Amino acid sequence: MLEYPRQFMLFGIFQGVSAAGILVCYIGLAASSNITTVIGTLIYAAFTFPSFPIMMELIGKRVGKELDLVATGNVFFMTQIITAVMLQVFSWLIGSNTKAGSTSSFILLMLLLGFNLVLGILASTRYKIPFDKDPGDKY
């Protein structure tokens, strides 16, 4: 997948399918259907996993070979911190043992995905260098 010429588009599609998996999972939880919840979780996991290497490759192309390790290391570090904080927040929300707590955690997750989408769209429209090309390429 890293050799695919439209990595940014592929990354966006994977993130959209991941969000759809979260929605399917929420529908399963709301309907008390274990099968639907598992299917939603599997969709989310299957399409989130390939997004991370694509994101790292895009960051490497964006900053150049000299800063590749620094940039990807910083992103990986920040991802771990944000994930740890969000796990604490979600465990607190879900720990209330109410449907309102579970619903709040899904709403928060969808808001964060929407915020990520908005930032991605702004970054892709604001900067002239596309994310799926090397900075030295002529276009």
Side-chain angles (χ1 to χ4, degrees), residues 58-75:
L58 292 174
I59 291 168
K61 285 183 177 181
R62 184 72 176 165
V63 299
K65 301 245 185 254
E66 297 82 23
L67 298 174
D68 187 20
L69 289 175
V70 173
T72 56
N74 286 338
V75 169

Side-chain angles (χ1 to χ4, degrees), residues 12 42 102:
L42 289 174
S102 296

Side-chain angles (χ1 to χ4, degrees), residues 87-101:
L87 284 173
Q88 289 298 316
V89 171
F90 289 146
S91 66
W92 177 73
L93 288 171
I94 293 172
S96 65
N97 292 331
T98 62
K99 281 197 174 189

Side-chain angles (χ1 to χ4, degrees), residues 108-127:
L108 179 61
L109 185 58
M110 294 304 276
L111 287 173
L112 289 172
L113 287 172
F115 181 65
N116 186 27
L117 176 66
V118 168
L119 290 178
I121 291 171
L122 287 174
S124 67
T125 58
R126 184 170 182 183
Y127 297 102

Side-chain angles (χ1 to χ4, degrees), residues 13-24 43-44 48 110 113:
I13 290 170
F14 280 0
Q15 292 302 301
V17 175
S18 295
I22 293 170
L23 185 61
V24 169
I43 291 170
Y44 171 74
T48 300
M110 294 304 276
L113 287 172

